[in-house]
Amino acid sequence: MMNYKNKDLEELNKKIKNIDDQKNNSNRKKKESGAGFGFKISTEIIAALVVGVGIGLIVDNYFNTKPFGLIIFFIFGALAGFLNVYRVMRRIEKQR
């Protein structure tokens, strides 16, 4: 009869260890994804700014309005970048 209790305890210990290992692996993934998340956010902002500045330069060359197109589309690009970051943050909040 003692033999059954020992086997049951061993099985229970194995199950607890497996659950602990799974929790540790998920915590590692969350920590590792922090750098990826930061890279994604910075990429969103930089890409929007680059597109805004590019469009601003094209508009300035086409209409011959040197600083105004660049300034206006830089602001639009910055707003678009922050809007993209906001959308990403909302998407992540919904996943949790």
Side-chain angles (χ1 to χ4, degrees):
M1 186 155 178
M2 286 291 273
N3 212 5
Y4 288 115
K5 288 184 180 180
N6 287 338
K7 286 183 181 180
D8 289 340
L9 284 175
E10 286 177 17
E11 288 179 23
L12 184 61
N13 283 334
K14 286 181 184 177
K15 288 180 182 179
I16 291 172
K17 185 178 178 182
N18 285 338
I19 291 171
D20 285 340
D21 290 342
Q22 289 174 353
K23 284 184 180 179
N24 288 337
N25 286 339
S26 68
N27 286 340
R28 286 184 195 140
K29 288 179 183 177
K30 287 180 183 176
K31 289 179 184 176
E32 291 171 0
S33 67
F37 177 71
F39 184 71
K40 181 175 183 171
I41 294 298
S42 63
T43 303
E44 291 280 345
I45 293 174
I46 291 171
L49 285 173
V50 167
V51 170
V53 167
I55 292 173
L57 291 173
I58 291 170
V59 166
D60 280 339
N61 285 337
Y62 187 74
F63 291 114
N64 201 16
T65 57
K66 275 293 181 207
F68 299 113
L70 178 64
I71 293 170
I72 291 170
F73 282 98
F74 176 82
I75 293 170
F76 284 156
L79 292 175
F82 288 118
L83 181 63
N84 289 340
V85 169
Y86 177 72
R87 288 178 183 163
V88 168
M89 296 297 287
R90 286 197 54 196
R91 191 177 320 134
I92 290 172
E93 270 305 306
K94 287 181 182 179
Q95 290 176 356
R96 290 185 179 188

